[in-house]
Amino acid sequence: MSHPHPELGAPPKLPRNGLRVVALGGLGEVGRNMAVLEHRGKLLVIDCGVLFPEEHQPGVDVILPDFTFIRDRLQDIVGIVLTHGHEDHIGAVPYLLRERGDIPVYGSRLTLGLLTAKLKEHRIKPVTNQVKEGDRRSVGPFDCEFIAVNHSIPDGLAVAVRTAAGLVLHTGDFKMDQFPLDDRLTDLRAFARLGDEGVDLFMVDSTNAEVPGFTTAERDLTPAIQTVFRTAPGRVVVSSFASHVHRIQQVIDAAYEHKRKVAFVGRSMVRNMGIASELGYLKVPRGLVVDAKELDNLPSNKVTLVCTGSQGEPMAALSRMANRDHQIRIGEGDTVLLASSLIPGNENAVSRVINGLTRWGAKVVHQGNAKVHVSGHASAGELVYCYNLIKPRNVMPVHGEWRHLRANADLAISTGMDPARVPVVDDGVVVDLVDGKATVTGKVRAGYVYVSGGTVGDVTEELLRDRVTLSQQGTVTVVAIVDTQTGSLAEPPDFVARGLGTDEAMFEGAIPAIEKVLSGAAKDGIGDPAELEQRIGKAVSQWAARKHRRNPLVIPVVIEA
């Protein structure tokens, strides 16, 4: 089991009979899933998703995989295979197609439906190839077979990729619910058949590898959801991912049974549910769904709202309701059902929303106090089952933070696999499958690429550090009029402070420090304003830290006298 190798260099030339696998995202994080397979000079991309920003990444909309590794080889890409329609698997496709618009995209009906709607907003018309379980497609030197898997969005697929170097089986995101709501089981017979043929590299979803046992069946949630609908005195507001068609189907069924009308709230929810019902994945009785505007005319116990925001996202409908910043006013008698899991790192935001809703008088039903959500990912029991069934020659855990990848590797090893054949790697680490053995051979660039407003890649780590400093420590601008010949101040500098909670006069103590660096620069014969600004900035920062224990962002401006 290999550790992350910071000292890894660029990978060697790939042998003709070899297959190279590089994850550009999804390892060491939950999101941004993207794997690149290389064989005989051609590239196959499996998934291309986004990661959502955390609190230390202010002003960032989404985070993309770094396409540097494939950018000068865009013409070698023979296809993008999408395993399912979640944002963390399809969200970055528009950005890859911006660089080469005619890359063929392979996916199931719902996945392509969601992708095409997303691409419309980017004004891109993709070259799509619809596939379903059981289909086989030759994509350049890669022979792809698609296999049904069960997940928290319908129409998920695993993909088996046959090449001259061996057979790779990539699970996508999956679980093994034995009683799925759409009766579409994860195809273990196909997994076993591929195991008999010989799986050389098994790439496995690790998200729930730390959770013992088996993931609860979706059907087991029906009683808890029914209870909410049976006992709620007023409106029922359900918050879920805008893609969790099965969960929303359960809500629709319960609403129909309890004679409530349903309205979808929020752009992504309205759009995705429209696509899902149009394509037949969401079965909606006639007249059940109404426009949100019509709800005012109905008694509150005949109303169900379905909205986004189960992760406490500040702009989503539910957070805005909690902050009283939404046309829907939550109050006494309302029941709010949070029908989705907690993504690690969102606990505080979700807690704030629950408190906000409770304060207005709503009853909040969530994962912590009722059985209203199950995960979309296989737990340890299911993963071990797969290792024993398939008996792969090499295993590469994918999709998860470090603890999940390591837990998944340990499971594979516990079924008797040689630890040397279970590489646990980071984004950008190159794993080559040559003569049936998977080994780590190098590393390529795989940094974060930030989308902020209309820009892609303009936001740097340094800029984010500045933003965090601004938000926590405030800022001070120093305007100095300098005689660059003598290095003296023509007049005392101006200080403009923001977010420091003190008056500008406190900075007058920094003037001697500024005078000192200016005279030093004049002695060294330095009169370039940019260089002087850097020195003044450093001097004021050090002074503020020493004197006031403050670390504001210092913005020096030098004007030549």
Side-chain angles (χ1 to χ4, degrees):
M1 208 159 67
S2 51
H3 293 268
H5 305 294
E7 71 286 349
L8 282 172
K13 193 170 174 301
L14 182 65
R16 182 163 165 74
N17 65 341
L19 172 76
R20 176 160 288 169
V21 180
V22 183
L24 293 182
L27 304 189
E29 63 207 356
V30 175
R32 221 169 60 112
N33 297 294
M34 179 176 182
V36 179
L37 274 53
E38 178 180 355
H39 181 58
R40 301 213 159 146
K42 298 293 183 200
L43 304 175
L44 180 71
V45 173
I46 300 179
D47 289 331
C48 187
V50 294
L51 179 67
F52 294 102
E54 292 183 34
E55 283 173 356
H56 63 274
Q57 294 158 329
V60 173
D61 302 326
V62 291
I63 305 167
L64 307 177
D66 188 339
F67 299 146
T68 310
F69 168 60
I70 54 176
R71 187 159 282 128
D72 52 356
R73 301 191 51 192
L74 291 169
Q75 291 312 314
D76 297 338
I77 302 175
V78 288
I80 302 171
V81 169
L82 301 175
T83 58
H84 64 283
H86 277 151
E87 279 300 294
D88 59 334
H89 293 258
I90 68 170
V93 174
Y95 299 93
L96 186 52
L97 293 184
R98 266 188 205 179
E99 305 202 20
R100 185 190 142 203
D102 62 347
I103 304 174
V105 183
Y106 296 81
S108 63
R109 192 158 157 220
L110 180 62
T111 306
L112 292 180
L114 295 169
L115 177 73
T116 313
K118 167 185 294 303
L119 288 170
K120 220 176 239 145
E121 294 181 9
H122 289 262
R123 300 195 172 83
I124 298 172
K125 200 166 169 24
V127 180
T128 55
N129 295 274
Q130 190 176 307
V131 293
K132 60 178 191 310
E133 52 266 34
D135 288 356
R136 269 178 87 161
R137 292 277 192 282
S138 281
V139 186
F142 305 94
D143 169 2
C144 300
E145 179 183 343
F146 299 93
I147 298 138
V149 293
N150 173 255
H151 183 43
S152 54
I153 187 172
D155 240 6
L157 295 168
V159 58
V161 183
R162 293 177 176 85
T163 68
L167 169 60
V168 178
L169 175 56
H170 191 307
T171 62
D173 281 358
F174 84 116
K175 58 177 173 172
M176 286 158 48
D177 190 336
Q178 298 302 304
F179 302 99
L181 294 169
D182 58 0
D183 296 326
R184 186 173 172 275
L185 293 157
T186 289
D187 191 349
L188 294 178
R189 295 173 62 182
F191 278 12
R193 171 172 56 76
L194 291 163
D196 288 345
E197 187 181 323
V199 171
D200 296 288
L201 181 62
F202 189 27
M203 297 173 73
V204 193
D205 174 12
S206 311
T207 312
N208 261 8
E210 287 187 307
V211 180
F214 285 68
T215 301
T216 313
E218 298 274 348
R219 280 198 188 169
D220 292 357
L221 307 186
T222 307
I225 294 173
Q226 283 285 354
T227 302
V228 168
F229 277 83
R230 196 174 58 249
T231 59
R235 295 180 296 184
V236 175
V237 179
V238 180
S239 166
S240 162
F241 292 128
S243 57
H244 204 328
V245 179
H246 293 153
R247 186 76 72 259
I248 291 162
Q249 183 71 63
Q250 286 173 303
V251 168
I252 282 178
D253 294 346
Y256 182 67
E257 196 178 319
H258 294 275
K259 301 191 170 43
R260 286 173 177 267
K261 297 287 190 197
V262 175
F264 296 121
V265 180
R267 206 174 57 110
S268 54
M269 185 62 81
V270 170
R271 185 184 69 190
N272 287 1
M273 290 309 118
I275 294 165
S277 57
E278 212 172 290
L279 297 177
Y281 293 93
L282 189 67
K283 301 194 174 28
V284 183
R286 281 184 67 156
L288 182 73
V289 171
V290 296
D291 196 83
K293 294 186 195 67
E294 295 175 36
L295 295 179
D296 299 342
N297 313 327
L298 292 166
S300 60
N301 63 350
K302 294 292 175 222
V303 170
T304 302
L305 293 159
V306 178
C307 67
T308 53
S310 52
Q311 295 303 311
E313 308 91 324
M315 289 312 294
L318 198 66
S319 312
R320 288 177 44 212
M321 289 176 199
N323 296 335
R324 282 282 154 112
D325 170 30
H326 197 282
Q327 65 268 30
I328 291 161
R329 315 280 289 175
I330 294 292
E332 290 291 337
D334 291 338
T335 305
V336 179
L337 171 62
L338 293 178
S340 60
S341 65
L342 256 183
I343 292 178
N346 293 354
E347 295 86 353
N348 293 350
V350 174
S351 185
R352 273 198 297 275
V353 170
I354 292 175
N355 281 317
L357 296 166
T358 308
R359 180 183 167 198
W360 304 122
K363 177 182 179 197
V364 185
V365 179
H366 54 87
Q367 197 184 1
N369 61 18
K371 208 167 178 184
V372 288
H373 179 72
V374 298
S375 170
H377 302 271
S379 300
E382 290 148 90
L383 295 170
V384 166
Y385 203 104
C386 289
Y387 292 130
N388 285 331
L389 184 70
I390 294 166
K391 298 207 178 344
R393 296 195 177 100
N394 303 271
V395 165
M396 179 174 169
V398 293
H399 304 176
E401 296 171 1
W402 263 98
R403 44 191 267 209
H404 307 133
L405 301 175
R406 185 51 49 83
N408 200 356
D410 290 342
L411 294 175
I413 293 163
S414 72
T415 65
M417 286 203 64
D418 174 359
R421 287 179 174 259
V422 187
V424 179
V425 298
D426 240 338
D427 290 339
V429 173
V430 178
V431 175
D432 286 348
L433 178 69
V434 181
D435 300 329
K437 192 165 193 319
T439 42
V440 173
T441 60
K443 193 170 171 79
V444 302
R445 201 171 115 185
Y448 280 1
V449 175
Y450 298 105
V451 177
S452 178
T455 67
V456 178
D458 290 358
V459 175
T460 59
E461 299 291 342
E462 192 182 7
L463 183 60
L464 287 178
R465 276 198 298 277
D466 283 354
R467 285 179 181 175
V468 172
T469 304
L470 273 170
S471 68
Q472 293 171 353
Q473 304 283 351
T475 159
V476 59
T477 306
V478 187
V479 183
I481 300 174
V482 181
D483 179 338
T484 49
Q485 305 298 294
T486 64
S488 59
L489 289 164
E491 54 182 76
D494 282 332
F495 296 96
V496 182
R498 284 279 180 278
L500 284 161
T502 51
D503 61 352
E504 276 85 0
M506 75 176 257
F507 282 96
E508 282 167 12
I511 296 175
I514 295 172
E515 290 173 334
K516 191 176 162 192
V517 292
L518 286 175
S519 67
K523 279 200 191 81
D524 299 342
I526 290 167
D528 172 39
E531 175 66 29
L532 295 177
E533 283 175 357
Q534 223 172 348
R535 293 187 178 203
I536 290 175
K538 200 168 171 192
V540 174
S541 290
Q542 287 170 342
W543 176 84
R546 200 171 56 243
K547 195 93 178 99
H548 295 287
R549 295 195 185 158
R550 295 287 183 82
N551 296 301
L553 186 70
V554 179
I555 305 167
V557 181
V558 167
I559 299 166
E560 295 188 58

